[in-house]
Amino acid sequence: MKSHCTYIPYQSTNSFSSLIYDYLAGKEHLKQFFKHAPTIEGVKSAIAARKKFSTNRNLIHDAFNEAYQNALPKDIQSANISLLKNENTFTICTAHQPNIFTGYLYFIYKTSHVIAIAKKLKAEIPEYNFVPVFYIGSEDNDFDELSKFKLNGKSFQWSSDQKGAVGRMKVDKNLLNLLEEVNKEVSHLPFGPALMDMLKKAYAKGNDIAGATFSLLNDLFAEEGLLVLQPDNPGLKKSIQQIMKDDLLNQSTEKIVGATNKLIEENYKLQVNPRPVNLFYLRDGIRNRIDKRGNVYTVDDTIIKFTEQEIIQELEEHPDRFSPNVILRGIYQETILPNILFVGGGSEVAYWMQLKDLFHHYEVPFPILVLRNSFMLMDSIQDHKLKELQLSPADLFKDEIQLSNEYVQQLAGREIHLKNEEEESKKLFQQLKTTVSAFDKTLIQHVHALETVHFKKLSALEKKMLKAERNKQSTQLQRIWKLKSSIFPNNSLQERFENFMPYYAQYGPDFINCILTHSLSLEQEFGVIVFKK
């Protein structure tokens, strides 16, 4: 499959938050909320900081070894697991919940991005090794969100009575029935059968969702050396026992992040807010918030309760029964991995900035934050229509009024405005003010009123001229809106709406290779990929 990609600034997409635009622009006032810049020099600085932290490399090496025992790892994966014991090896990490069938396209984009960065850094700083890692947020319990996906414009949802961490839920009859619905949508496409084989292996009856996600990611990216981490692991949880104990006893997290939030919310919308206790109680069938009321710890929506002594004993004996919330998850990730860089979406980058002082408090290295790659996917027909309309990909991100006005003016061969008339009118009214003031200065207010009415009417006339020209070009404009609707489903970026499956069913492994080929590393631009026949 042939393809080409053009890149445009994120600011041109009008699809991200002001904080993200300011971060990409390197605004000075944001620098207090991150540690290292997303540059090669920033990478070297992050490596130096990470070297000072005692990462239990044997622990993470053994965790990956165990995870891949039955997965028949590729040579490059086995090599990467071995490299983790080397003090000159560092990870490049992204994370996501175990959405069934990956959920959204950006699941594939962020995975490809960590692979691209690892390759880039090895080429730029060859004395170090860089291993791409996908951290499965398997303890997430937002079943309503993780059980949905869209395919060919249709909405699908897994219905189940299972409760608790989604990663621990089992593939059941309803999910197998959903798999058959997927089969109807993709089996007629060239790589549909191969895709279904992959999905049926991952989502076999009785498998848990974390394992299914592991299997699917491994089938898609094993050749690239990606390692998939399942953090719902008793041995790994022991690494942050002291941090969890501090959160239970002293509520340090709420105080520290709360102070940072006051600074951030002066300019931006907050993504997350800390609680007095930032842990969930995790058992099969439940992942419920822990609340502290006086000296008693209760598990929300259950009858489970602990005294202070009892909950600390529970933590020491069963660290796996405690699950960090979004505030503490990053601390857990960066404690167990020798990580220097985290790739996340816009909201992820934003909430990580709320956590820098928390990392400092616990003396855990804060990683470089990189906005994950984003792409708009177009086929050759859409690309041809875009060129016929004499539009650029960036034009498609403009709002309807702006694009309509610019386009009709382009077709008219002139700007449709009354600027000259406005300038002449300004001179006329200035002259009128001078003239009437010689008679009676109180008449100037009357001239002001006439001026206001005049310019309102000029503005209305200009709008009518543009509307008349839009009516003349209605056929062309309808072509534009039809093209836009085919590229922006439900007025959304594809990556936040569509799933990877129809693309894989059409193009097979070439689709993954295409995304990998066009994935930037630290450059931070929005990609527009055109698939060629």
Side-chain angles (χ1 to χ4, degrees), residues 358-426:
L358 187 67
F359 275 74
H360 178 74
H361 173 77
Y362 288 120
E363 299 181 333
V364 176
F366 193 73
I368 299 167
L369 302 178
V370 173
L371 180 67
R372 64 166 173 78
N373 281 326
S374 288
F375 294 103
M376 181 167 73
L377 308 179
M378 298 172 60
D379 59 32
S380 55
I381 296 173
Q382 291 167 326
D383 184 48
H384 179 71
K385 289 178 179 177
L386 189 70
K387 289 174 180 174
E388 273 191 336
L389 291 164
Q390 298 181 347
L391 294 174
S392 70
D395 288 326
L396 294 175
F397 290 95
K398 295 173 181 175
D399 66 58
E400 184 173 337
I401 294 175
Q402 180 188 3
L403 181 53
S404 295
N405 290 344
E406 290 179 2
Y407 191 70
V408 298
Q409 289 183 135
Q410 175 187 326
L411 290 180
R414 66 185 185 280
E415 289 192 42
I416 302 170
H417 58 68
L418 296 172
K419 289 182 181 177
N420 292 335
E421 289 75 6
E422 287 177 0
E423 290 300 318
E424 291 300 321
S425 295
K426 286 177 184 178

Side-chain angles (χ1 to χ4, degrees), residues 157-269:
Q157 183 162 15
W158 174 29
S159 175
S160 178
D161 294 329
Q162 298 178 68
K163 305 292 182 184
V166 174
R168 293 186 175 188
M169 293 181 182
K170 303 292 186 181
V171 175
D172 58 14
K173 184 178 179 180
N174 286 345
L175 189 48
L176 293 177
N177 289 339
L178 203 57
L179 199 56
E180 289 307 311
E181 294 299 312
V182 171
N183 186 46
K184 293 174 186 176
E185 296 290 332
V186 303
S187 59
H188 63 286
L189 295 170
F191 292 90
L195 172 64
M196 290 309 303
D197 287 344
M198 199 185 305
L199 295 175
K200 287 177 179 178
K201 182 180 84 171
Y203 295 92
K205 188 172 183 180
N207 284 359
D208 63 39
I209 301 304
T213 305
F214 177 99
S215 174
L216 188 53
L217 276 166
N218 200 48
D219 280 346
L220 292 171
F221 293 102
E223 297 283 358
E224 302 296 328
L226 180 76
L227 298 183
V228 182
L229 177 62
Q230 161 57 301
D232 186 0
N233 178 303
L236 296 178
K237 286 280 182 72
K238 287 182 181 179
S239 299
I240 59 162
Q241 267 182 320
Q242 290 307 308
I243 292 175
M244 292 194 288
K245 182 177 180 180
D246 183 51
D247 190 68
L248 288 166
L249 297 180
N250 302 314
Q251 291 78 59
S252 301
T253 299
E254 183 183 38
K255 299 166 190 171
I256 295 166
V257 178
T260 302
N261 283 358
K262 288 179 181 178
L263 298 174
I264 289 181
E265 65 183 347
E266 292 176 5
N267 298 295
Y268 307 105
K269 178 182 176 182

Side-chain angles (χ1 to χ4, degrees), residues 22 47 71 95 104-105 135 178 201 203 230 278 292 324 326 339 362 368 373 375 377 469 476 510-511:
D22 288 349
I47 288 172
Y104 303 99
L105 264 172
Y135 177 113
L178 203 57
K201 182 180 84 171
Y203 295 92
Q230 161 57 301
N278 294 277
K292 184 180 182 184
V326 66
N339 198 53
Y362 288 120
I368 299 167
N373 281 326
F375 294 103
L377 308 179
E469 193 63 33
Q476 289 292 84
D510 280 352
F511 172 68

Side-chain angles (χ1 to χ4, degrees), residues 288-338:
N288 292 28
R289 190 174 65 235
I290 299 173
D291 289 319
K292 184 180 182 184
R293 296 183 176 92
N295 291 321
V296 176
Y297 294 83
T298 61
V299 178
D300 198 36
D301 291 333
T302 74
I303 60 171
I304 301 171
K305 62 175 65 175
F306 301 92
T307 64
E308 184 177 287
Q309 182 179 355
E310 287 170 342
I311 201 165
I312 297 305
Q313 182 178 350
E314 182 80 351
L315 174 63
E316 290 172 350
E317 294 177 359
H318 304 284
D320 53 306
R321 294 180 182 175
F322 294 80
S323 175
N325 71 359
V326 66
I327 300 283
L328 288 179
R329 191 206 67 77
I331 288 271
Y332 179 37
Q333 171 188 298
E334 298 300 309
T335 299
I336 59 178
L337 287 170

